[in-house]
């Protein structure tokens, strides 16, 4: 992958902001004028302080963005770390794609990504999608005439084995990946919405700053601006040019400070959009620890709005640890499914051949040489393990016949077949394996316990009942059948053989197997959590409808068998054949879809989205890709999922567990809630500081909160504040409220209420201190300059303490007890403590640079009490009811009435 941007590049980008450039120019002018008028020893404080604060902002911004970039790079590396199956020393092992070496033998099947450049050794109906390399969507068939395979391409159909000839940078795919960067600058929907809010606030802030600039310049040049000692700042014809310039620079700096405070995009560090990105990056890292790999940033926030989850059954709701627990051979149920002595030799021979040849798995000796190991999909492993237990010799049976053609299993036809010819003769067998009722419908005969061929017509009802009984016990039913044909019926030409469609009728049934796949522990609780949080779980499976119903009852998706209403459990075929209007009605009520195809799943997703649902879909197969892509959030499976499914998904569930899907919902809601907390917190700071400075500037010609102080507030509030609020872990409370709607306003009525109560309190108390502070603090008889410094220091200190307690209040916008779970967030308590310590250091030790003076312990206590009062005030404010209609809509209606 292309190397990420360097730290110097981030530094360069951080100081490009127009507001920072204006502040730097103002700092340089202030520095030059200060040194000219006061000398180097005293004159550099103001300009030097602004310069230091701006540089600190630039370095902190660059460092924060650089760390975020590294985090995304690590996540991208994790996305590309595909697990690949290789054959080494006759054994199948799963290794990282980075560990493949030239000479490795790699098996390929539908949905796999070709992991390296190579040559086809053997294959059956192997078709490759080379669009990622050639740009052409045409599927290319691979055989001995066209054996070359390119890394990065996808297996569209068939199966095969390749020999690796090139890896890494020595492949075309590797060269392509090295030339591109994953940093696409993707903006999530939430960031787009915030962009609009920031632009609006920016216009207001700039307008106010311009107004204040005009007022202050007018007051200055008309002689209405006074120094702390009461003297006029500017007298026409008497005030020197340097003092005039100093006063103008001071005024411009005050106006720019208002921009810094009011405009979210005015200061890079205060960019709410950046905080969103950092929040999402942090959440992505934490979700990784919870076994969820986020491939697309927007999925983090969208998952919090999910109203329905369409989940697969196998491996997601169940453990994917399958074992054969019931077996019918012919029409006879085996007393013990693992007792091969009950089988006739002819039946046993055909079963062995069908199991060993019609599989993508294998059986091999374990590393310690004491037992056998089985590889393949969970269903394949279950059937192969059963075959071993009934006496099948895998390698011996395989060596006795030659595979002529393979029709790989896929989820549309729900069956897979193979044509084999005996080594010693001309007899050809076609073996089929698949969904029990589908295979049974194609059978015309069966082999009885004596190995004799019997007509199946009279026994079909019995076998259907047997399948339904097994399905009702939540067993997956798989049937094995075969057919004989003459070798002359099999095409000999390679191209004709590749196009040959295997006959699927007139089959002879060999066995029906009942495979148990138990529900995952905790899945019932996970489904209940979804239900409590307003998220409906729907199960979409290719299994028999009876099996689907039984598993749904076991998982809690259906409450009880007697309460199941019409269309709550439906077959994919039935759903597919409904009219569009009927589908919409059924989709709302449906909880389980059995015998569904990938196209049925896609149709369901499209219908639900049309109804306004925010849909999350799980999928693992290649054919699930359209549904994963169509859904609002596509969730692919990390263990059983094909590379095609993973490429089409937004999030990869690394442990294939439904409980992890619920954790992703929690994190999605947490992301949205934390961003709302930070917005409420930051807007309160911005509104309070803006109003205080504007009112003070217009009325007295001076601002109580100067540039350096407000830059400091931006640093500690926007950096440390965002860090504290954006890293709050998900809580159970999030899963006891409905999902956030698509069109729900970002700043809710509850946030407006909290914001206004806090802002009005801070504005009121600090303006009283600004205008009456000297008399309240008994400073009228003190030196005017010192008295002004003490008053402004108290205002600055009280303002910061108000923000610290406001930060605590912002943790729980809609709860009375804001301290719930605070001990579980050490980062939050650490940030609050650090802010206290830094504020004390600023006041007591760095006063010269921040235009503050040391305070007595009484004034420290006054500042603390002002901050503490904001906490019970916020709690009391939460008792005030809020209207359900969003504030924005109220303003729009008022405006429309005024216009009318």
């Amino acid at each position: 992958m292309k190397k990420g941007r360097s730290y110097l590049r981030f530094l360069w980008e951080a100081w490009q902001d127009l507001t920072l450039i204006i502040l730097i120019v103002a700092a340089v002018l202030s520095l030059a004028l200060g040194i000219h008028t006061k000398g180097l020893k005293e004159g550099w404080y103001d300009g030097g302080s602004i310069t230091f604060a701006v540089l600190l902002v630039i370095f902190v911004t660059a460092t924060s963005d650089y760390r975020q970039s590294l985090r995304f790079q690590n996540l991208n590396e994790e996305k590309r770390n595909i697990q690949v199956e290789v054959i080494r020393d006759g054994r199948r092992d799963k290794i990282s794609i980075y560990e493949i070496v030239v000479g490795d033998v790699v098996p390929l099947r539908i949905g796999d990504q070709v992991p390296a450049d190579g040559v086809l050794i053997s294959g059956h109906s192997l078709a490759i999608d080379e669009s990622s390399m050639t740009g052409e969507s045409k599927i290319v068939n691979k055989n001995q005439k066209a054996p070359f395979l390119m890394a990065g391409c996808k297996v569209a159909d068939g199966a095969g084995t390749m020999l690796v000839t090139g890896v890494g940078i020595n492949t075309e795919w590797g060269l392509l990946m090295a030339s591109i960067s994953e940093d696409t600058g993707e903006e999530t929907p939430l960031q787009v919405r915030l962009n609009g809010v920031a632009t609006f606030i920016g216009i207001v802030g700039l307008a106010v700053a311009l107004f204040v600039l005009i007022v202050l310049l007018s007051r200055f040049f008309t002689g209405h601006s006074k120094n702390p000692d009461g003297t006029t700042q500017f007298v026409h014809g008497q005030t020197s040019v340097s003092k005039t310039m100093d006063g103008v620079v001071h005024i411009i700096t005050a106006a720019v400070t208002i921009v810094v405070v009011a405009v979210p995009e005015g200061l890079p560090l205060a960019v709410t959009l950046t905080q969103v990105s950092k929040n999402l990056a942090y959440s992505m890292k934490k979700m990784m620890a919870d076994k969820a790999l986020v491939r697309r940033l927007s999925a983090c926030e969208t998952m919090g709005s999910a109203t329905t989850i369409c989940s697969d059954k196998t491996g997601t709701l169940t453990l994917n640890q399958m074992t054969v627990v019931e077996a019918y051979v012919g029409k006879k149920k085996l007393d013990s499914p693992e007792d091969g002595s009950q089988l006739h030799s002819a039946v046993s021979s055909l079963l062995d051949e069908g199991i060993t040849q019609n599989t993508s798995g294998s059986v091999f000796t374990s590393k310690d040489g004491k037992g056998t190991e089985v590889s393949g999909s969970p269903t394949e492993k279950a059937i192969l393990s059963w075959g071993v237990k009934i006496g099948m010799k895998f390698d011996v049976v395989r060596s006795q016949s030659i595979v002529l053609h393979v029709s790989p299993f896929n989820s549309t036809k729900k069956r897979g077949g193979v044509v084999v010819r005996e080594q010693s003769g001309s007899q050809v067998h076609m073996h089929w394996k698949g969904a029990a009722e589908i295979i049974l419908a194609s059978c015309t005969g069966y082999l009885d316990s004596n190995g004799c061929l019997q007509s199946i017509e009279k026994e079909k009802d019995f076998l259907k009942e047997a399948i339904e009984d097994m399905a009702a016990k939540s067993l997956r039913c798989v049937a094995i059948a075969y057919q004989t044909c003459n070798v002359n019926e099999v095409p000999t030409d390679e191209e004709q053989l590749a196009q040959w469609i295997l006959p699927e009728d007139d089959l002879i049934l060999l066995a029906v197997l009942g495979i148990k796949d138990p529900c995952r522990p905790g899945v019932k609780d996970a489904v209940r959590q979804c239900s409590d949080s307003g998220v409906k779980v729907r199960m979409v499976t290719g299994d028999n409808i009876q099996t689907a119903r039984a598993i749904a009852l076991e998982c809690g998706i259906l409450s009880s068998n007697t309460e199941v209403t019409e269309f709550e459990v439906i077959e994919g075929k039935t759903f597919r054949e409904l009219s569009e209007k009927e589908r919409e009605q059924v989709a709302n009520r449906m909880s389980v879809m059995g015998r569904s195809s990938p196209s049925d799943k896609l149709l369901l997703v499209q219908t639900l989205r049309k109804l306004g649902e925010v849909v999350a879909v799980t999928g693992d197969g290649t054919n699930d890709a359209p549904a994963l892509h169509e859904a609002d959030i596509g969730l692919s499976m990390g263990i059983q999922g094909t590379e095609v499914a993973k490429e089409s998904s937004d999030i990869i569930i690394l442990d294939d567990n439904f409980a992890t899907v619920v954790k992703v919902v929690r994190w999605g809601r947490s992301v949205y809630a934390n961003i709302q907390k930070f917005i409420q917190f930051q807007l309160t700071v911005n509104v309070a500081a803006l109003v205080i400075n504007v009112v003070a500037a217009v009325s007295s010609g001076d601002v109580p909160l100067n540039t350096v102080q407000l830059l400091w507030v931006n640093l500690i509030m926007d950096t440390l504040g965002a860090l504290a609020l954006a890293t709050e872990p998900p809580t159970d409370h999030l899963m006891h409220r409905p999902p956030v709607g698509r069109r729900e306003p970002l700043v809710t009525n509850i946030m407006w209420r909290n914001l206004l109560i806090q802002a009005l309190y801070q504005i009121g108390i600090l303006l009283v201190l600004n205008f009456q502070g000297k008399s309240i603090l008994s400073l009228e008889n003190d030196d005017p300059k010192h008295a002004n410094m003490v008053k402004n220091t108290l205002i600055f200190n009280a303002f910061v303490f108000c923000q610290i307690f406001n930060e605590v209040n912002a943790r729980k916008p809609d709860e009375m007890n804001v301290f719930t779970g605070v001990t579980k967030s050490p980062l939050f308590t650490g940030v609050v403590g650090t802010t206290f310590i830094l504020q004390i250091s600023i006041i007591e030790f760095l006063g010269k640079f921040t235009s503050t003076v040391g305070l007595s312990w009484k004034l420290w206590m006054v500042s603390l009490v002002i901050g503490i009062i904001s906490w019970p005030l916020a709690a009391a404010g939460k008792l005030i009811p809020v209207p359900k209609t969003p504030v924005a809509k109220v303003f729009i209606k008022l405006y429309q009435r005024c216009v009318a």
Side-chain angles (χ1 to χ4, degrees):
M1 188 175 72
K2 188 177 178 181
K3 215 172 179 182
R5 290 178 293 174
S6 67
Y7 181 68
L8 290 175
R9 179 74 180 174
F10 282 101
L11 277 175
W12 172 258
E13 290 176 359
W15 87 276
Q16 298 295 305
D17 185 80
L18 179 61
T19 313
L20 285 182
I21 293 169
I22 293 170
L23 283 175
I24 290 168
V25 172
V28 170
L29 288 172
S30 179
L31 194 64
L33 291 168
I35 293 170
H36 177 70
T37 55
K38 298 178 186 177
L40 182 61
K41 190 175 181 181
E42 298 286 336
W44 70 276
Y45 287 149
D46 289 343
S49 301
I50 297 172
T51 304
F52 175 75
V54 170
L55 288 174
L56 189 60
V57 165
I58 289 171
F59 275 100
V60 171
T61 304
T63 303
S64 179
D65 290 346
Y66 179 63
R67 287 186 63 197
Q68 179 189 325
S69 174
L70 290 178
R71 190 174 290 158
F72 280 125
Q73 280 184 39
N74 292 335
L75 286 168
N76 286 328
E77 281 295 316
E78 195 65 41
K79 278 194 280 186
R80 290 180 175 172
N81 188 15
I82 300 165
Q83 292 297 304
V84 180
E85 197 174 62
V86 296
I87 302 172
R88 291 177 176 174
D89 299 325
R91 295 169 46 81
R92 292 196 180 205
D93 288 318
K94 279 207 166 183
I95 61 170
S96 164
I97 194 170
Y98 299 122
E99 295 173 8
I100 288 182
V101 295
V102 173
D104 270 336
V105 175
V106 180
L108 299 172
R109 58 177 182 268
I110 296 176
D112 284 352
Q113 176 178 308
V114 180
D117 283 358
V119 178
L120 183 68
I121 300 172
S122 63
H124 300 283
S125 309
L126 186 64
I128 303 292
D129 178 4
E130 295 184 347
S131 58
S132 58
M133 292 300 298
T134 64
E136 296 179 13
S137 56
K138 186 180 176 184
I139 303 299
V140 180
N141 291 310
K142 294 294 177 180
N143 47 44
Q144 297 306 318
K145 292 180 181 177
F148 299 107
L149 300 164
M150 289 188 290
C153 300
K154 306 290 190 301
V155 180
D157 199 6
T161 308
M162 66 173 278
L163 176 70
V164 174
T165 58
V167 296
I169 203 73
N170 296 316
T171 66
E172 286 295 321
W173 180 253
L175 288 169
L176 181 64
M177 288 297 101
S179 66
I180 63 173
S181 170
E182 284 283 347
D183 186 10
T184 58
E186 170 197 14
E187 268 200 350
T188 71
L190 183 55
Q191 286 174 311
V192 172
R193 289 168 70 186
L194 284 170
N195 209 4
V197 175
T199 303
F200 173 74
I201 296 171
I203 293 167
V204 173
L206 286 168
V208 170
L210 186 63
F211 170 71
V212 169
L213 179 65
I214 293 167
V215 170
L216 289 182
L217 286 173
S218 301
R219 287 178 60 93
F220 180 77
F221 286 112
T222 54
H224 288 88
S225 295
K226 306 289 183 181
N227 289 312
D229 57 5
T231 59
T232 304
Q233 287 184 350
F234 176 82
V235 178
H236 184 68
Q238 296 179 20
T239 306
S240 65
V241 175
S242 62
K243 284 189 176 179
T244 303
M245 284 292 292
D246 193 29
V248 171
V249 168
H250 180 74
I251 289 167
I252 292 171
T253 306
V256 172
T257 301
I258 288 169
V259 175
V260 169
V261 173
V263 187
E265 68 266 45
L267 195 66
L269 199 58
V271 178
T272 311
L273 305 186
T274 305
Q275 301 304 347
V276 173
S277 198
K278 288 170 188 171
N279 191 336
L280 292 172
Y282 170 81
S283 300
M284 284 170 72
K285 184 181 176 183
K286 287 293 182 183
M287 286 165 75
M288 186 74 181
D290 277 343
K291 304 295 182 186
L293 173 61
V294 179
R295 297 188 70 255
R296 292 185 180 89
L297 197 61
S298 58
C300 282
E301 67 191 56
T302 311
M303 198 64 193
S305 301
T307 57
T308 185
I309 300 171
C310 298
S311 174
D312 283 342
K313 176 186 78 71
T314 306
T316 308
L317 296 169
T318 61
L319 281 169
N320 220 4
Q321 295 172 1
M322 301 191 188
T323 50
V324 175
V325 294
E326 286 192 28
Y328 285 80
V329 175
K331 70 167 193 174
K332 179 187 176 185
K333 182 179 180 180
L334 300 185
D335 298 328
S336 171
E338 298 173 5
D339 184 7
S341 62
Q342 301 175 59
L343 304 179
H344 188 273
S345 58
V347 176
S348 181
S349 175
L350 286 165
L351 265 177
D352 288 353
E353 187 178 74
I355 292 170
T356 56
Q357 296 289 25
N358 190 15
T359 182
S360 59
S362 64
V363 179
F364 47 85
T365 307
S366 59
K367 285 182 179 179
D368 57 14
K370 295 179 180 177
T372 57
E373 289 184 19
V374 180
S375 69
S377 70
T379 307
E380 297 277 18
K381 286 165 77 172
I383 295 169
L384 285 169
S385 297
W386 179 70
V388 170
K389 288 171 184 174
I390 61 172
M392 176 189 75
K393 304 292 182 186
F394 185 82
D395 291 330
V396 173
V397 175
R398 274 213 159 183
S399 65
Q400 291 172 349
S401 56
I402 301 168
V403 175
L404 300 177
H405 187 60
V406 175
S407 175
F409 177 90
N410 68 51
S411 52
T412 303
K413 58 186 183 182
K414 302 194 184 301
R415 63 166 79 190
V418 64
V419 181
V420 297
R421 177 172 58 81
E422 293 179 353
Q423 290 274 20
S424 56
S426 60
Q427 194 169 30
V428 173
H429 290 153
M430 295 181 190
H431 290 280
W432 285 98
K433 176 178 70 184
E437 67 270 29
I438 292 174
I439 296 290
L440 181 63
S442 300
C443 290
T444 55
Y446 71 96
L447 292 183
D448 64 16
S449 55
N450 297 316
C452 298
L453 179 62
Q454 304 289 342
S455 172
I456 204 169
E457 290 307 313
K458 294 179 182 178
E459 309 300 338
K460 270 197 174 179
D461 289 339
F462 167 77
L463 289 166
K464 282 179 182 176
E465 277 185 35
I467 291 168
E468 285 175 7
D469 286 345
M470 287 192 283
K473 298 174 190 173
S474 69
L475 303 184
R476 169 176 279 191
C477 301
V478 176
I480 300 171
Y482 85 106
Q483 183 187 37
T484 59
C485 73
N486 195 289
V487 70
N488 298 326
E489 296 176 32
V490 181
T492 52
D493 182 76
E494 193 173 332
E495 288 185 13
Q496 289 181 341
L497 189 63
Q499 301 298 321
W500 186 41
I501 298 172
L502 270 64
E504 298 178 357
D505 298 319
D506 299 326
L507 303 182
I508 299 166
L509 183 70
L510 292 174
V512 178
L513 308 178
I515 302 173
K516 180 70 176 174
D517 184 14
C519 274
R520 284 184 180 272
V523 76
K524 196 165 188 175
D525 287 338
V527 171
R528 182 181 47 76
Q529 279 184 43
C530 286
S531 182
D532 291 346
S533 62
V535 180
K536 183 174 177 64
V537 179
R538 293 174 164 89
M539 186 170 81
V540 184
T541 177
D543 275 352
N544 181 306
I545 198 163
Q546 299 297 331
T547 306
R549 186 198 297 262
I551 288 288
L553 285 164
E554 206 173 326
C555 294
I557 294 171
L558 296 175
S559 49
S560 75
N561 229 346
T562 53
E563 293 176 17
V564 175
T565 57
E566 188 186 8
F567 294 126
E568 197 170 354
V569 178
I570 193 171
E571 276 199 345
K573 184 183 176 184
T574 308
F575 183 76
R576 193 187 318 142
E577 291 170 351
L578 296 171
S579 67
E580 189 174 333
K581 192 172 183 181
E582 288 172 327
R583 269 201 303 269
E584 288 178 6
Q585 293 172 348
V586 169
N588 257 331
R589 294 151 59 188
M590 193 212 79
S591 295
V592 177
M593 185 186 285
R595 280 289 174 246
S596 70
S597 66
S599 59
D600 296 330
K601 186 187 279 190
L602 176 61
L603 197 59
L604 175 62
V605 171
Q606 290 171 335
T607 306
L608 289 170
R609 290 194 72 199
K610 199 179 288 183
L611 292 169
E613 302 273 4
V614 179
V615 186
V617 170
T618 70
D620 54 13
T622 302
N623 293 333
D624 287 330
L628 290 168
H629 185 74
E630 178 71 21
D632 295 283
I633 314 102
L635 304 158
S636 63
M637 300 296 110
I639 299 171
Q640 291 300 320
T642 63
E643 289 309 313
V644 172
K646 291 175 187 176
E647 286 289 324
S648 301
S649 68
D650 304 298
I651 298 173
I652 300 173
I653 305 301
L654 298 174
D655 60 356
D656 291 14
N657 192 344
F658 184 79
T660 303
V661 177
V662 180
K663 287 179 185 175
V664 172
V665 174
R666 277 166 60 96
W667 271 110
R669 293 189 176 194
S670 178
V671 165
Y672 198 88
N674 287 349
I675 289 169
Q676 284 188 314
K677 292 174 193 176
F678 176 71
I679 290 170
Q680 177 187 307
F681 170 66
Q682 190 184 34
L683 286 180
T684 306
V685 179
N686 291 346
V687 169
L690 176 67
V691 173
I692 292 161
N693 266 12
V694 168
V695 172
V698 172
S699 59
S700 64
D702 202 4
V703 289
L705 299 170
N706 64 34
T707 306
V708 177
Q709 290 170 355
L710 284 173
L711 283 171
W712 170 245
V713 168
N714 266 305
L715 271 174
I716 62 171
M717 294 300 122
D718 294 337
T719 306
L720 296 178
L723 184 66
L725 293 171
T727 55
E728 282 272 284
T731 60
D732 291 336
H733 176 69
L734 293 169
M735 298 302 285
H736 292 286
R737 62 189 192 191
V740 178
R742 285 182 194 269
R743 302 188 183 279
E744 191 168 317
L746 189 59
V747 183
T748 63
N749 287 2
I750 289 172
M751 291 167 68
W752 278 116
R753 178 196 63 194
N754 298 345
L755 188 157
L756 291 172
I757 289 169
Q758 281 292 308
L760 288 172
Y761 166 71
Q762 291 178 25
I763 291 165
I765 199 86
L766 296 180
L767 284 179
V768 168
L769 284 176
N770 185 59
F771 294 113
Q772 300 297 322
K774 289 181 183 177
S775 60
I776 292 170
L777 301 172
S778 304
L779 298 172
E780 294 101 326
N781 299 323
D782 286 19
D783 173 58
K785 188 175 182 181
H786 179 263
N788 217 39
M789 288 274 280
V790 171
K791 179 199 74 171
N792 286 350
T793 302
L794 179 63
I795 291 171
F796 171 53
N797 207 38
F799 182 68
V800 171
F801 279 5
C802 279
Q803 305 324 318
I804 291 171
F805 284 95
N806 181 28
E807 195 173 335
V808 177
N809 289 327
R811 284 189 71 242
K812 306 286 180 182
D814 53 353
E815 292 181 52
M816 293 295 288
N817 186 2
V818 294
F819 295 102
T820 306
V822 75
T823 54
K824 294 178 182 177
S825 184
L827 191 58
F828 182 88
T829 50
V831 165
V832 170
T834 302
T835 307
F836 263 112
I837 294 166
L838 289 174
Q839 180 62 16
I840 293 167
S841 303
I842 283 289
I843 299 293
E844 296 298 330
F845 305 115
L846 298 172
K848 286 183 179 180
F849 303 103
T850 55
S851 302
T852 56
V853 292
L855 297 176
S856 65
W857 70 270
K858 288 182 180 178
L859 292 183
W860 275 105
M861 290 306 295
V862 168
S863 304
L864 190 60
V865 168
I866 289 171
I868 289 172
I869 289 172
S870 70
W871 169 59
L873 187 70
K878 288 172 186 175
L879 297 172
I880 300 171
V882 293
K884 290 184 178 179
T885 307
V887 170
K889 286 187 179 178
V890 173
F891 283 130
I892 290 167
K893 284 181 181 178
L894 285 172
Y895 171 75
Q896 288 171 342
R897 284 181 185 177
C898 290
V899 171

